[in-house]
Amino acid sequence: MQFPVIIKPNFEGGSDGIFLKNIVNSHTQLQRIIRQLFLKQYDSVVVESFIMGKEVTVAIVGNGADLCVYHPREVVFPLEKQTQGLSILSQPIKNNKKLRDKLKLYSMPLNEDRATVLKVKKIAARVFRILKLRIMQE
C-alpha cells in the first residue's frame, strides 16, 4: 500500500465519518482511524489512495440498469490555507454552513473536456456498482 491514503466509511453519504485526520501516511495511523470508525459503529470502511487535486462529486440516482449518473461537480476551496491545504469535503465542512461560508466554499459543474467528464461519470458508476451501493426506494 502506498501512502497517503484516505479512510472512508462504506455505505455512508454526506461525508459522514470523513475528517482531515482520515488522510493518513502510515500503517499506525491507518489502524488507529479504522479502529475509531469501527468504534463509531461503521460496519465497513474503504481505503483509497489519496490524490491531491480537485474535489469532485458525482450524483447518482437509481439502481441496476436504471442508474443515472449526473454531470460531475467540482467543489472549490478558495481559501485552501484554512483547510491545511487539503481540499476535501469533510463532515465538519459539509454539515456547517458557517464554516463553508468562512472558507468561501462553492461548487460548479466540472469544467473539463467531454472525454474527461465521461470518464469521471463512468468511474463513478463503476465504483457505485463495485461497492454494491444502492439508492433506497420507498
Side-chain angles (χ1 to χ4, degrees):
M1 177 179 307
Q2 282 192 303
F3 291 97
V5 297
I6 184 166
I7 304 109
K8 302 175 181 181
N10 199 10
F11 304 116
E12 293 297 329
S15 299
D16 276 357
I18 300 175
F19 301 89
L20 286 176
K21 68 180 182 178
N22 291 41
I23 301 170
V24 300
N25 291 295
S26 72
H27 287 283
T28 303
Q29 291 176 320
L30 176 69
Q31 291 171 348
R32 186 182 80 245
I33 297 300
I34 290 174
R35 194 174 310 113
Q36 288 173 3
L37 289 169
F38 283 142
L39 287 172
K40 291 181 180 176
Q41 307 303 311
Y42 294 108
D43 301 44
S44 63
V45 297
V46 175
V47 178
E48 303 173 329
S49 295
F50 180 75
I51 303 167
M52 287 292 291
K54 293 180 179 184
E55 173 79 16
V56 176
T57 184
V58 182
I60 297 176
V61 175
N63 294 306
D66 295 328
L67 209 64
C68 179
V69 182
Y70 287 87
H71 189 95
R73 295 189 65 83
E74 178 182 354
V75 180
V76 181
F77 292 78
L79 299 176
E80 287 187 39
K81 291 179 203 162
Q82 293 182 20
T83 59
Q84 299 174 6
L86 301 172
S87 300
I88 67 165
L89 195 53
S90 64
Q91 183 175 333
I93 290 173
K94 193 147 187 193
N95 294 337
N96 186 326
K97 184 175 181 340
K98 286 183 183 179
L99 181 56
R100 288 193 308 273
D101 291 346
K102 178 181 175 184
L103 294 172
K104 296 184 169 63
L105 181 72
Y106 64 95
S107 74
M108 62 183 218
L110 183 61
N111 186 18
E112 296 289 339
D113 60 86
R114 188 179 191 307
T116 300
V117 170
L118 290 175
K119 186 174 182 178
V120 170
K121 290 173 70 171
K122 184 177 178 180
I123 290 169
R126 185 168 183 226
V127 168
F128 186 89
R129 289 183 178 107
I130 288 170
L131 295 178
K132 298 180 179 161
L133 302 177
R134 297 286 176 266
I135 303 298
M136 300 301 291
Q137 297 175 344
E138 295 180 21

